[in-house]
């Protein structure tokens, strides 16, 4: 589907099981709305997602797509009903400052057909908070761990559970944290097995991977 400023991949759902997602960064509000409308027309029975939508774009979506669900924290816009969820993903964040990435991830998980259980503010500085949530985390089919600073949380979680873990470094920290590179290096060098790390602040990529793992796990168990 050609829009002039974009060519929508309307066959992606047939190829992969999931519709194309609009990357809102750098797009005008009108372009975001136009792309969402086009994707929704091609996928009327399921949700379509826009990520990294700036404030002006989100307000334009509210005015022109009244049925859309807009998340100001995660900077996402969802148009249409999410599919019935299969499997469950625990989305765990170290601190409140990681919420934008956690919310982007959780919304992506829902759009990509799984259930997101958000567990917030359980970083290692108050590790008792994590222990209080271990039963919820262990009950998930896959776990996403979002953390900045020194990014120790995925390693700690990886030492306590045997569930696949997707680690998401965030660009959060005191001093010279190198815009999240410090957290990324900590995660990719973890000694805890079973952890896969995505790029800095990439809640979307982690959400897609986790939802597909959870969906496959639920399908295998059926």
């Amino acid at each position: 589907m050609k829009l002039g400023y974009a060519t929508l991949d309307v066959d992606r759902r047939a190829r992969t099981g999931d519709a194309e997602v609009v990357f809102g960064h750098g797009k005008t509000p009108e372009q975001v709305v136009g792309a969402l409308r086009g994707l929704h027309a091609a996928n009327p029975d399921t949700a379509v997602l826009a990520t990294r939508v700036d404030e002006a774009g989100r307000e334009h979506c509210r005015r022109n797509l009244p049925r859309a669900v807009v998340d100001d924290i995660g900077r996402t816009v969802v148009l249409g009903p999410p599919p019935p969820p299969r499997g469950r993903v625990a989305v765990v964040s170290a601190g409140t400052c990681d919420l934008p990435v956690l919310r982007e991830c959780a919304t992506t998980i829902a759009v990509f057909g799984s259930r997101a259980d958000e567990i917030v503010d359980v970083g290692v500085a108050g590790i008792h908070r994590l222990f209080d949530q271990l039963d919820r985390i262990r009950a998930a089919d896959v776990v996403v761990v979002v953390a900045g600073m020194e990014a120790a949380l995925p390693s700690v979680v990886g030492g306590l559970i045997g569930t696949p873990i997707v680690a998401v470094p965030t660009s959060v920290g005191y001093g010279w944290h190198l815009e999240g590179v410090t957290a990324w290096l900590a995660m990719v060098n973890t000694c805890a097995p079973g952890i896969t790390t995505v790029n800095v602040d990439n809640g979307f990529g982690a959400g897609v991977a986790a939802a597909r793992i959870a969906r496959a796990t639920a399908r295998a168990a059926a």
Side-chain angles (χ1 to χ4, degrees):
M1 180 184 294
K2 295 183 183 299
L3 301 180
Y5 55 85
T7 301
L8 301 181
D9 183 2
V10 295
D11 297 322
R12 186 174 301 185
R13 187 177 175 200
R15 297 195 315 271
T16 70
D18 303 296
E20 184 179 17
V21 172
V22 179
F23 181 57
H25 179 75
K27 290 183 174 63
T28 67
E30 294 77 15
Q31 288 171 343
V32 172
V33 167
L36 279 171
R37 280 177 171 157
L39 288 172
H40 183 59
N43 302 275
D45 58 338
T46 193
V48 290
L49 169 67
T51 66
R52 306 297 171 97
V53 182
D54 63 21
E55 184 176 359
R58 296 194 302 272
E59 287 305 313
H60 198 67
C61 287
R62 284 190 174 96
R63 290 194 300 270
N64 293 276
L65 302 172
R67 295 185 179 180
V69 177
V70 180
D71 183 347
D72 289 320
I73 296 175
R75 296 178 295 165
T76 58
V77 181
V78 179
L79 182 60
R86 289 175 288 166
R88 178 172 163 272
V89 182
V91 189
V92 182
S93 73
T96 306
C97 51
D98 300 310
L99 273 176
V101 177
L102 176 139
R103 289 296 309 152
E104 179 183 75
C105 183
T107 299
T108 301
I109 288 166
V111 170
F112 277 70
S114 190
R115 179 179 291 106
D117 181 14
E118 299 178 33
I119 301 171
V120 178
D121 197 23
V122 292
V124 298
I127 202 166
H128 60 286
R129 299 173 300 185
L130 174 64
F131 296 153
D132 287 343
Q133 301 296 335
L134 277 180
D135 287 344
R136 285 173 65 187
I137 295 170
R138 288 189 173 117
D141 298 298
V142 57
V143 177
V144 176
V145 182
V146 182
M149 302 286 188
E150 87 283 30
L153 186 60
S155 296
V156 173
V157 174
L160 294 170
I161 67 172
T163 310
I165 295 172
V166 181
V168 189
T170 63
S171 52
V172 170
Y174 291 112
W176 197 35
H177 57 86
L178 304 179
E179 300 299 322
V181 174
T182 298
W184 178 80
L185 287 170
M187 289 180 178
V188 297
N189 285 288
T190 178
C191 64
I195 297 176
T196 299
T197 303
V198 299
N199 209 341
V200 177
D201 292 334
N202 190 7
F204 167 72
V208 173
R212 287 178 172 175
I213 294 169
R215 280 163 29 190
T217 301
R219 187 166 57 245

